[in-house]
């Protein structure tokens, strides 16, 4: 099981002290198989990866520019620069960035560049509330997968994160049947082997044991609750123990 912490725009150098508890937890729970990935803001990738050096916890970024080369792109960072400071993963296609104008085509270019850099990609897809209400969920997921992964043959570095937009930060999670349906639809879009599939959206210690029972969920992408070591550890414990 994967437990990916998406810190979004949260954290400074002092915040890293919070991680001591999670490091201790991961070291003392070796008999259970699980993977923790922290995706802090870019400012913390280097210090965090140094701090996690002797642990199994890995570090990822939350986005990158689509160009693999250096260039005149003020304020941007590309995938190889993220790799260089310790990132092993990058979250791409998050709805908070899609809402700012990221298109499926742009996300496709970003994924290709991240693959070239040797990063693993946490590729976010998910429908809005309006799309769900108008029964467009499958259509949206299909489009996001097809366009986002267009002409990418080797998908071994891709992990899908199904994050219904209406579930992010709202405390509302999909009904069991709807989630089973969405996950199996995602699976059906892959011809041979389908990638690992994470669920994201209001995951907490109270709903984790319900969510873990959904077939083919390989872990969680956790926003708000990942900022608290206690809440994050509680989710892991509820899921694996
Ligand atoms: P919350 O867990 O805060 O709902 O955020 C989910 C998310 O967007 C993770 O990428």
């Amino acid at each position: 099981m994967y437990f990916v912490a998406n810190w979004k725009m949260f954290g400074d150098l002092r915040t890293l002290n919070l991680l001591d508890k999670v490091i201790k937890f991961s070291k003392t729970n070796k008999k259970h198989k699980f993977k923790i990935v922290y995706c802090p803001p870019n400012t913390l990738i280097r210090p965090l990866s140094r701090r996690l050096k002797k642990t199994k916890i890995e570090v990822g970024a939350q986005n990158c520019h689509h160009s693999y080369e250096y260039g005149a792109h003020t304020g941007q960072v590309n995938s190889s620069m993220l790799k260089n400071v310790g990132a092993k993963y990058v979250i791409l296609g998050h709805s908070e960035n899609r809402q700012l104008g990221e298109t499926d085509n742009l996300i496709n270019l970003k994924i290709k560049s991240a693959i070239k850099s040797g990063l693993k990609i946490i590729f976010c897809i998910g429908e809005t509330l309006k799309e769900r209400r108008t029964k467009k969920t499958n259509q949206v997921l299909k489009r996001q997968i097809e366009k986002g992964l267009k002409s990418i043959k080797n998908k071994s570095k891709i992990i899908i994160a199904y994050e219904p937009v209406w579930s992010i930060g709202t405390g509302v999670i999909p009904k069991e049947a709807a989630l089973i349906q969405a996950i199996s639809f995602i699976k059906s879009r892959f011809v041979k082997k389908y990638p690992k599939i994470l669920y994201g959206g209001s995951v907490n210690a109270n709903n984790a044991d319900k969510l873990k029972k959904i077939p083919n969920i390989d872990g969680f992408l956790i926003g708000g609750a990942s900022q608290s070591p206690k809440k994050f550890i509680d989710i892991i414990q509820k899921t694996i123990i």
Side-chain angles (χ1 to χ4, degrees):
M1 286 294 270
Y2 278 82
F3 298 90
V4 183
N6 176 6
W7 269 9
K8 308 191 180 185
M9 198 169 76
F10 164 81
D12 58 24
L13 289 171
R14 279 168 309 175
T15 318
L16 298 186
N17 296 328
L18 291 176
L19 290 173
D20 292 348
K21 275 190 194 156
V22 182
I23 293 172
K24 199 166 154 215
F25 172 80
S26 85
K27 284 189 173 160
T28 51
N29 276 280
K30 287 204 174 116
K31 65 177 173 35
H32 297 285
K33 263 189 103 185
F34 61 95
K35 182 171 266 312
I36 298 176
V37 182
Y38 268 95
C39 300
N42 288 349
T43 47
L44 295 178
I45 290 177
R46 184 67 173 162
L48 184 54
S49 52
R50 284 203 170 157
R51 202 152 176 146
L52 297 174
K53 221 173 190 171
K54 292 201 175 93
T55 75
K56 289 209 162 120
I57 304 175
E58 292 185 300
V59 180
Q62 299 173 14
N63 203 354
C64 68
H65 190 268
H66 64 276
S67 170
Y68 181 75
E69 309 296 337
Y70 289 154
H73 307 294
T74 305
Q76 302 290 326
V77 173
N78 75 11
S79 51
S80 65
M81 293 156 85
L82 295 168
K83 176 98 192 293
N84 183 253
V85 289
K88 299 265 183 350
Y89 293 77
V90 61
I91 297 172
L92 291 172
H94 195 282
S95 61
E96 285 154 12
N97 294 321
R98 289 182 190 263
Q99 279 157 8
L100 292 176
E102 266 192 13
T103 60
D104 293 311
N105 294 346
L106 182 65
I107 294 162
N108 176 254
L109 295 177
K110 290 185 178 203
I111 294 177
K112 285 176 179 160
S113 141
I115 290 177
K116 204 165 165 185
S117 297
L119 294 177
K120 290 180 189 145
I121 294 106
I122 298 164
F123 171 40
C124 301
I125 56 174
E127 80 289 358
T128 62
L129 190 57
K130 190 171 167 210
E131 288 161 344
R132 170 154 291 273
R133 285 195 173 140
T134 51
K135 305 208 178 336
K136 294 209 175 85
T137 301
N138 287 358
Q139 188 185 319
V140 170
L141 297 177
K142 178 174 181 281
R143 189 203 74 225
Q144 290 175 335
I145 293 170
E146 278 174 7
K147 293 199 169 174
L149 299 180
K150 193 173 170 200
S151 63
I152 297 172
K153 285 211 175 66
N154 183 353
K155 299 185 182 65
S156 62
K157 300 257 184 203
I158 311 277
I159 297 168
I160 304 269
Y162 172 56
E163 297 207 303
V165 181
W166 49 273
S167 175
I168 295 175
T170 58
V172 183
I173 60 165
K175 294 213 169 69
E176 192 184 332
L179 191 50
I180 292 174
Q181 199 282 329
I183 300 285
S184 72
F185 180 77
I186 294 167
K187 250 182 73 183
S188 75
R189 302 314 302 164
F190 294 89
V191 252
K192 284 185 213 145
K193 223 175 113 208
Y194 61 90
K196 292 211 178 305
I197 304 173
L198 314 182
Y199 167 78
S202 296
V203 176
N204 61 41
N206 297 326
N207 58 29
D209 41 358
K210 202 163 151 191
L211 288 167
K212 78 171 182 193
K213 293 194 188 110
I214 307 287
N216 302 309
I217 285 187
D218 301 298
F220 302 124
L221 179 55
I222 305 158
S226 74
Q227 296 171 5
S228 147
K230 184 183 175 320
K231 288 183 185 166
F232 193 55
I233 292 170
D234 279 354
I235 292 172
I236 302 175
Q237 277 179 322
K238 280 273 167 74
T239 312
I240 61 164
I241 298 170

